[in-house]
Amino acid sequence: MNAFRCAGLTLGSLPPGPRAMITDVPGVRVGHYTLIEDVKGSAIRTGVTAIVPPGDPYAEPLAAGIFVLHGHGKATGLWQIQDLGELETPILLTNTLAVFSCAEALLTWTLKRHPQARSVNPVVLECNDGWLSTIEFRPLQEKHALLALDAASEEVAEGCVGAGTGMIAFGYKSGIGTASRIVDPYTVGALALPNMGRREDFVPPSPLALSPFGGEAGSEGMGGSLIVVLATDAPLLPAQLARLCRRGLLGAARTGAPADTGSGDFFLAFSTTLRLPRDAKSVAVEIIPDRSRLMGELYRAAAEATQEAIYSALLAATPLTGREGRSPPIFRPKNR
Amino acid sequence: MNAFRCAGLTLGSLPPGPRAMITDVPGVRVGHYTLIEDVKGSAIRTGVTAIVPPGDPYAEPLAAGIFVLHGHGKATGLWQIQDLGELETPILLTNTLAVFSCAEALLTWTLKRHPQARSVNPVVLECNDGWLSTIEFRPLQEKHALLALDAASEEVAEGCVGAGTGMIAFGYKSGIGTASRIVDPYTVGALALPNMGRREDFVPPSPLALSPFGGEAGSEGMGGSLIVVLATDAPLLPAQLARLCRRGLLGAARTGAPADTGSGDFFLAFSTTLRLPRDAKSVAVEIIPDRSRLMGELYRAAAEATQEAIYSALLAATPLTGREGRSPPIFRPKNR
Amino acid sequence: MNAFRCAGLTLGSLPPGPRAMITDVPGVRVGHYTLIEDVKGSAIRTGVTAIVPPGDPYAEPLAAGIFVLHGHGKATGLWQIQDLGELETPILLTNTLAVFSCAEALLTWTLKRHPQARSVNPVVLECNDGWLSTIEFRPLQEKHALLALDAASEEVAEGCVGAGTGMIAFGYKSGIGTASRIVDPYTVGALALPNMGRREDFVPPSPLALSPFGGEAGSEGMGGSLIVVLATDAPLLPAQLARLCRRGLLGAARTGAPADTGSGDFFLAFSTTLRLPRDAKSVAVEIIPDRSRLMGELYRAAAEATQEAIYSALLAATPLTGREGRSPPIFRPKNR
Amino acid sequence: MNAFRCAGLTLGSLPPGPRAMITDVPGVRVGHYTLIEDVKGSAIRTGVTAIVPPGDPYAEPLAAGIFVLHGHGKATGLWQIQDLGELETPILLTNTLAVFSCAEALLTWTLKRHPQARSVNPVVLECNDGWLSTIEFRPLQEKHALLALDAASEEVAEGCVGAGTGMIAFGYKSGIGTASRIVDPYTVGALALPNMGRREDFVPPSPLALSPFGGEAGSEGMGGSLIVVLATDAPLLPAQLARLCRRGLLGAARTGAPADTGSGDFFLAFSTTLRLPRDAKSVAVEIIPDRSRLMGELYRAAAEATQEAIYSALLAATPLTGREGRSPPIFRPKNR
């Protein structure tokens, strides 16, 4: 269960899956590599998170779509998703200056499995952890990303792990969060990397609305960013997945995410079941029409799962002292 | 003052302008024409709302931008804004099947002032009031839209007037709502036409969160739409105005707007001061860079003003009985 | 046969259909209403062209996509195609100031067939014929558009008919042109309304490359616009149809289309076989993957058919004297 | 002078700059690193090309815009340009699997000059040279890209150098090509990396149209890609630069570029004079309105320069034998 559900909280009208995690979508796995070390005066507080889809994404690319709320980000691989709607590698999340080491890892990972490949489109998304971590040392290497890929499993560690290690959101320590929703017979899962917002932007989960906040405000005035990855086993077309992303945005907005001027707010969604085998001449698909009520429920699921995943990232976060002795407060309402 | 402020409510961190209305942006005026009549078995509950920018929009087009969350809408004139960033007519809001009568009115209005014009790009946005009004009678005519344009003034009537006449949102009677924010020395104003959402989607203004709702649920299961028009006297470029629209979206999401499958959620923003005279060879502009703190505050203003304008539309709405005797409940928390 | 083929010309590597017209796509029909009259000192030289897809577009919307090269245009109905990928009415082409009369006609046409409809998304595209026609008189009425719809048939008149009546391109009299290509077992058809370009922009069909031009240059310096509608019976998804539009753009560029500052260059493509019935819960589709060779051939077909349709519009045009006695030259190379 | 002008050819209506190269735009420099070696059974035929804008791009980002015709590409850094319109590093061109080594080089290059930087958006574009080069060995390293940056000068080597080393286009050996146009008082420059098209797609420069082709057809059926970078000293806004890119597309289409299913056709344009200093609170700009004739001429310049740059890449190419002994023919018409 995710930290949100473990705290006894609920949100929205749709039920979560059994784990309340993105891995409730069959076959989806998540792995982390966390890098915490202090060398040569640095405070490295960073990592990589891998989201691994089921099957062979290169041989059978997955339908995928994106939405970018504010484009101040360094993500790789997005145009091929934007234009062609295909995801052909796992997805890595990391810090802003480690994007390209991680992309190299996805090349290596894919070429190992497909030695004949001449073109690979690695997808890496990022948030900036430079407030807590000596990001400019660029300590993360390809090997770390490969370890995150190897570590992928169905149980998702939340909080200050992997790419979540150095995150802060709404002035609190943040990290990795995840959630899921069931829209029978389908599941929609979300994994969030929230790194945005000032204290006064925060809209806490509703039964906690009137609780006094603990701790002191974190990094004032940082714009920050937000990454959300949505997975579903509904056979959605790329354009529908892009629309699913926009509902993730609605969920993020309900937590108070401000999309400030420096933010890179990227949403990516993929379907594990609508796949486009590389050499297929035709692919039989059962489209869910956009007007259908089911589609509306899937939209609702994306919004709820995203909102919950962001809250779960905050609730799972644990104390961490980083660069220049900074130690952002933990979000724990007093009545718990 | 808008209905939200008149109810003693506040929201967000930025102060409203003196009227708490879109007309706090100097020179912006709003007019309505309301059409309520019962003829030949019909129940006409509809209207037109005109937002008139200062100056001569055809001779000196205004910088403008849009964002469309879900494109199930029949708006006219948007590509020229999307691609070229120019608004050259007033903006009309009306019902889904009256869009083109209103567009004709804008042609007439412009050709009267500029007889030499050979090309005019009328901007009309719409929501569907067919649950309360016999929309398929298509009763609104060009003359009604011209009357709305003529009626434009700085005092904005809210609630069940103009295009707001037949609106419902979150199961309650809705209408026209407006709000504003000051980001010294600039003003950001919003006018909303909310026609979306189910009762369970609603996130009430926060001090009212625990109040019991009055009345019965309105039209279950209707997707509905949302139109938001933002105005500012900050000299924003078209791309910046498009980004302002996306922050309007954040404010809408905080009220619970679901962007359901049938929704047409259109956001349009214009600047009254960044103007591109039709025959100018060059135009001197003071750009506010995207990274600046001021830009972040303008984004915040757009989110807050949009959220408040939607609430104000609900709080200003008054009882109305329409088609098939339908009479949606009014949102009034019991403790007020 | 279209005028291009009647002139003994060929172009590209793919074969045309039996008519070399958009109506080679089974079930597609085209109708015109031409309005030529001189009243009260005016010279009316305008019209409406209707492209009617097979079946009932409202009950069973067609997959559709668009591409806009330069957005200086007043088209209606495009956001619903852009975002949701659905075409639910016939397509009308007309002059810039008659767009909304034509849109009303599509409302009437649809409500007559579906009295219960409460929302209709009429698609109308336009070019400006104000150089030859007294466009500001706004003579075209809804009834004229309904007559164009009624006149739809499989044999397409080209040249100075319907919306083509007042067109000029590359300084020559232009009009309606059409063409098609076979990509076994599918057909791609194009209908073009070229109204753009200066004489020096023109790239004539290649065997005519060195022929001296007849006549005098037409309206110098007018930016002009270009509308291209593509139809296919290949079951393409909306995103694929949008990409098909971009290949239409390639074909247009090969004729020298400049996309000048005042141009509204709109491309719209629809599939007659990938249909999304309004109340369907799921739709079985055989997707043609984007990487397939067949998709590449369909792209090639769109480029070739568009290029040929533009040439055919010029070759089919006949002398016409309009506003202020203007009479643009006819494109006929001397060696023919 | 570029290879096209050296061959005595001309194209279009606008005059070239003194070098007929992108470096006619004051301050723009271009450098190459070419990697040709045969080790361990490989045939490495690849390289990096650097386009270095004047001034300090990180301290004073340049206005920039993009257009993607077909998104099958692995470019980095584009969302920040797409959304925010800013270029903050030099631009590197390389092969598909070397994108991320090059991106690392841009991080190193920037952090060396701005040690306090915590976020850098490196822009790297690519074509696939895997038909001539053992691309999957991934031989290009960060150091090679840094050497290309160091080598930047005002004289641009064309043909089989840098990223052009392993290119083929229209079945011929291709490479780097460049061209420029003067629109007084401004210059528009283009640099092209054409790697697309089949022999039958090719539209040769017009006086050469009827000449028989020399040599044998190269790699049949490869989709290929096209990269075009446009530079100008006109103070264009990001949205205008994006539109400039679309005119580059028109020029590319006139050479026969097909945008086949596997293509990544990316166009990027930047202004050397509209700069947005990182900490500026406001920036005074003289906007050139979109409707102005000057803007139309700048569009024309972009189309002509792109078309010429592609031809120049073919005319500058020299024989090269690569992987599996492949040696694509050289485009040289017999009459020269």
Side-chain angles (χ1 to χ4, degrees), chain C residues 214-276:
Chain C
E216 294 300 305
S219 66
E220 290 305 320
M222 289 193 60
S225 295
L226 169 64
I227 304 298
V228 174
V229 176
L230 296 164
T232 185
D233 54 356
L236 301 188
L237 292 167
Q240 294 176 312
L241 292 159
R243 288 198 285 273
L244 206 70
C245 287
R246 298 190 219 159
R247 273 58 182 198
L249 166 61
L250 296 180
R254 287 173 201 152
T255 70
D260 209 336
T261 54
S263 68
D265 298 313
F266 287 71
F267 298 75
L268 187 156
F270 63 86
S271 165
T272 57
T273 57
L274 200 160
R275 307 190 75 134
L276 300 151

Side-chain angles (χ1 to χ4, degrees), chain D residues 33 120 220 274 285:
Chain D
Y33 182 84
V120 182
E220 290 304 321
L274 199 160
V285 177

Side-chain angles (χ1 to χ4, degrees), chain A residues 206-227:
Chain A
S206 75
L208 308 180
L210 302 177
S211 307
F213 298 112
E216 292 301 305
S219 65
E220 290 305 321
M222 289 192 60
S225 294
L226 169 64
I227 304 296

Side-chain angles (χ1 to χ4, degrees), chain D residues 174-192:
Chain D
S174 177
I176 292 284
T178 186
S180 70
R181 287 294 182 275
I182 303 292
V183 179
D184 190 45
Y186 302 117
T187 300
V188 175
L191 185 139

